[in-house]
Amino acid sequence: MNLKERLHSHLIQIVRDRNPYLASQGHFYAQQYIREQLAQWGTVEIDDFSVRGRIHHNLILDLPPLSPPLAKGGKQEESPAASGGKQDNLGIEKQINKQLPPIVIGAHYDTVPGSPGADDNATGVAVLLELARDIASGPLKYPVQLVAFDMEEYGYLGSSHHAAKYKQQQESIRLMISLEMLGYCNHNPNSQSYPAGLKYFYPNSGNFIALIGTLRTVPDLINLSGKIRKSGQPCEWLPVPNRGLIVPDTRRSDHVPFWDNGYPAIMVSDTANMRNPHYHRESDRIETLDLDFLAGVCRGLVEAIRYM
C-alpha cells in the first residue's frame, strides 16, 4: 500500500464513535488498534491516569535517536571503535548522558459524544501511526516519543497528565508537536475563516495546513513550514504571544498543557470549525475528508521533522 492507502486503512479502523463514556466499546477498539500498530515498532507503554475515579490511558512509544549522531552536513559520525580507537565504559556513559531531549509528537484518539471523529481526530492519529513507521525505519538526531492521548475532549486531560510528568521530573523537551485535525480541505474562495483580525494576513481558501506556536518556537515554525511547502503542501504559520491567551482559538488542543508548563510546542491543524462544517458533528465522516490533502500533510511532516 502507498501512504494514502495506509492512511485510509487506519481511518477505516479508527473512525467510529469513541467517546470514553458514551461509546466505550468504540473507544476501546480504537485504543487497541493504535496499540497494535505502534507495537510493530517497539514496546508500547500504557500510561494510566485517573479522572473522577475512572482510569484512562495514554499510549506511548519511545523511539531512540540515531547512534552515533549525525555530524554536520548529515554524515554519520564514526564511533572511536569503528575508526580503530577504543571506547571505554566511561565514554559510553558520557554519550548516554549527553542524549538530546526528545521530540514529543501527540494526537488524541477520543471523540465528543455522537461523532465518529474522522477529522477530529482520526486524521491526527493516522498520521501519528505513519510517523511512527517512518521514524522507526530511519531514526532521527533526536529521540522521538509518540503519544496517543485520551480525554482531549474533556479539557486536554491526557496531555495535561503527560506534560505534568515532564515538569515534575524536570526533563527537557526539544519540541512538542500536536496533530489536531489534518484532513479537511476546501479550495473554494472564502471557505476559510479566522479569529478577529487575522483574515487580512492569510489566504481565504481553506486548502493549507496551519502551524501555531508561541514566540519561542518561531525558528521551528519557519523551518517546519518551509520544509512542508517544499514538499508541495501549502502551509501557513502563526506565532502567538503569552501562551496564546490573546487568541483563545489557538488554545484548543493537546499542545496547551505543554505551553502552560513552559515547554516549546506547536499545533498542526486544518483549523477545525474555521473551515470544517462537520466539526463535532455526526457528519464528521471519512467521505468528507480529502485523502490527497491528508497524505500531503503527512509527507510534509515526515520531511520537515527529519530536518530538525
Side-chain angles (χ1 to χ4, degrees):
M1 289 192 290
N2 61 28
L3 175 60
K4 179 180 172 182
E5 291 167 339
R6 290 197 303 272
L7 289 166
H8 190 210
S9 178
H10 293 318
L11 292 172
I12 289 168
Q13 297 299 321
I14 299 166
V15 175
R16 60 192 68 228
D17 192 344
R18 49 190 191 280
N19 180 268
Y21 297 111
L22 301 180
S24 56
Q25 187 174 355
H27 181 266
F28 180 76
Y29 183 93
Q31 184 184 90
Q32 293 307 302
Y33 177 78
I34 296 163
R35 181 183 178 186
E36 289 169 7
Q37 292 296 307
L38 291 177
Q40 297 175 89
W41 318 117
T43 301
V44 178
E45 177 190 352
I46 302 173
D47 185 24
D48 297 342
F49 62 98
S50 177
V51 178
R52 294 186 289 276
R54 181 167 174 168
I55 302 299
H56 299 271
H57 313 287
N58 292 335
L59 306 176
I60 304 170
L61 174 66
D62 286 300
L63 295 176
L66 195 63
S67 183
L70 289 178
K72 287 183 179 178
K75 293 183 179 179
Q76 186 85 38
E77 286 183 352
E78 277 195 317
S79 67
S83 57
K86 291 182 179 178
Q87 182 164 308
D88 58 19
N89 289 338
L90 182 62
I92 294 170
E93 189 176 322
K94 283 181 178 177
Q95 197 171 25
I96 292 170
N97 289 339
K98 279 170 61 180
Q99 181 170 309
L100 296 166
I103 298 169
V104 178
I105 306 173
H108 75 89
Y109 63 91
D110 60 313
T111 63
V112 295
S115 175
D119 197 24
D120 187 12
N121 187 37
T123 54
V125 174
V127 169
L128 184 79
L129 298 179
E130 286 303 309
L131 288 174
R133 171 192 293 273
D134 183 80
I135 296 167
S137 65
L140 309 186
K141 172 184 173 182
Y142 293 92
V144 176
Q145 184 175 78
L146 299 120
V147 191
F149 293 121
D150 198 3
M151 297 291 285
E152 189 268 356
E153 299 291 3
Y154 289 87
Y156 331 124
L157 300 182
S159 51
S160 292
H161 167 74
H162 200 65
K165 277 192 1 181
Y166 269 98
K167 187 76 169 180
Q168 184 179 10
Q169 295 166 8
Q170 298 183 320
E171 292 183 8
S172 299
I173 294 173
R174 167 62 184 86
L175 181 68
M176 188 275 173
I177 300 172
S178 175
L179 307 175
E180 178 64 60
M181 303 181 64
L182 307 178
Y184 192 86
C185 175
N186 190 334
H187 295 281
N188 293 326
N190 302 313
S191 56
Q192 179 69 51
S193 62
Y194 294 96
L198 292 180
K199 68 179 182 179
Y200 303 106
F201 305 99
Y202 293 97
N204 65 18
S205 296
N207 59 357
F208 60 88
I209 197 68
L211 308 182
I212 296 96
T214 50
L215 297 181
R216 70 183 291 191
T217 66
V218 165
D220 285 320
L221 288 169
I222 293 170
N223 291 332
L224 292 172
S225 63
K227 295 297 185 297
I228 291 171
R229 287 170 181 161
K230 193 174 180 181
S231 77
Q233 172 61 50
C235 181
E236 301 291 336
W237 58 278
L238 172 68
V240 291
N242 195 24
R243 296 178 287 123
L245 294 171
I246 194 171
V247 188
D249 276 324
T250 64
R251 292 178 53 87
R252 290 171 53 186
S253 188
D254 288 308
H255 60 293
V256 170
F258 292 86
W259 282 359
D260 291 346
N261 278 282
Y263 290 110
I266 288 173
M267 175 175 64
V268 185
S269 178
D270 63 19
T271 75
N273 58 306
M274 284 175 272
R275 175 188 307 177
N276 188 344
H278 308 287
Y279 174 71
H280 281 187
R281 295 177 180 270
E282 192 276 336
S283 56
D284 184 9
R285 298 185 173 276
I286 293 175
E287 53 266 29
T288 68
L289 302 177
D290 185 326
L291 297 184
D292 290 310
F293 178 80
L294 179 63
V297 170
C298 189
R299 270 191 298 270
L301 284 170
V302 164
E303 292 297 317
I305 291 168
R306 286 212 162 273
Y307 275 90
M308 287 184 64

